[in-house]
């Protein structure tokens, strides 16, 4: 758009009504070059002939070991009383199973931390990887 000029020829006061196409053509050519360079890269793939096999997933749930510890420190393996010294041997024998069983650890809130830490350390040392705590959720407060 021309604003005005110093020559007093005809059309001196009229604005120019042409669009400058040079910047648009420059942008179009740059985009064209970019697409020409990147198009072969997008379709490049390595063809491999992979073997075909069918199998069904194994849906076996791992065994669950319920280990309870009461307030006095007595240990129960699936509701059967067990000595604390026998746990490492039991943990070692079940850690070799496939799939490895889950250890659900339930402890009384008055259980000594030392007993709980010893049981967890024995389970971890024997190779058990799935150790979880079982707790009872609190009841929601009553509406007033």
């Amino acid at each position: 758009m021309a604003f005005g000029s110093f020559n007093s020829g005809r059309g001196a006061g009229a604005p120019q009504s042409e669009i400058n196409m040079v910047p648009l053509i420059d942008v179009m050519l740059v985009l064209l070059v970019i697409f020409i360079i990147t198009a072969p890269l997008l379709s490049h793939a390595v063809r491999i002939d992979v073997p075909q096999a069918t199998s069904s997933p194994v849906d076996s749930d791992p065994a669950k070991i319920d280990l309870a510890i009461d307030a006095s420190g007595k240990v129960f393996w699936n509701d059967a009383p067990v000595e604390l010294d026998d746990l490492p041997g039991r943990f070692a024998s079940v850690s070799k199973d496939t799939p490895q069983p889950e250890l659900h650890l339930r402890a009384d809130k008055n259980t000594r931390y030392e007993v709980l830490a010893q049981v967890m350390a024995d389970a971890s040392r024997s190779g058990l990887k799935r150790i979880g705590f079982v707790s009872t959720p609190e009841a929601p407060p009553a509406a007033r």
Side-chain angles (χ1 to χ4, degrees), residues 1-17:
M1 215 159 109
F3 289 105
S5 63
F6 292 113
N7 56 356
S8 60
R10 92 184 146 123
Q16 183 182 4
S17 62

Side-chain angles (χ1 to χ4, degrees), residues 98-110:
T98 304
Q100 200 174 66
E102 296 177 357
L103 178 63
H104 293 188
L105 192 56
R106 292 184 302 127
D108 189 86
K109 65 181 177 181
N110 296 325

Side-chain angles (χ1 to χ4, degrees), residues 16-134:
Q16 183 182 4
S17 62
E18 297 176 7
I19 296 176
N20 190 0
M21 297 294 289
V22 175
L24 296 174
I25 293 171
D26 289 345
V27 170
M28 186 228 18
L29 289 175
V30 168
L31 289 174
L32 182 65
V33 169
I34 289 173
F35 287 136
I36 288 172
I37 291 172
T38 58
L41 299 177
L42 295 176
S43 64
H44 180 70
V46 177
R47 304 241 184 248
I48 334 177
D49 187 20
V50 294
Q52 301 293 323
T54 59
S55 65
S56 61
V58 178
D59 293 332
S60 63
D61 290 330
K64 295 179 179 106
I65 301 169
D66 186 30
L67 192 72
I69 305 172
D70 66 0
S72 63
K74 293 180 184 173
V75 181
F76 298 90
W77 182 288
N78 291 335
D79 297 329
V82 174
E83 291 297 320
L84 197 58
D85 298 333
D86 296 338
L87 284 179
R90 284 188 174 219
F91 287 148
S93 66
V94 297
S95 68
K96 296 173 186 168
D97 293 346
T98 304
Q100 200 174 66
E102 296 177 357
L103 178 63
H104 293 188
L105 192 56
R106 292 184 302 127
D108 189 86
K109 65 181 177 181
N110 296 325
T111 302
R112 291 184 44 163
Y113 180 73
E114 178 184 7
V115 175
L116 192 58
Q118 181 182 356
V119 169
M120 289 175 53
D122 289 342
S124 179
R125 239 183 273 123
S126 67
L128 283 176
K129 295 188 181 4
R130 297 179 174 186
I131 302 172
F133 288 102
V134 178

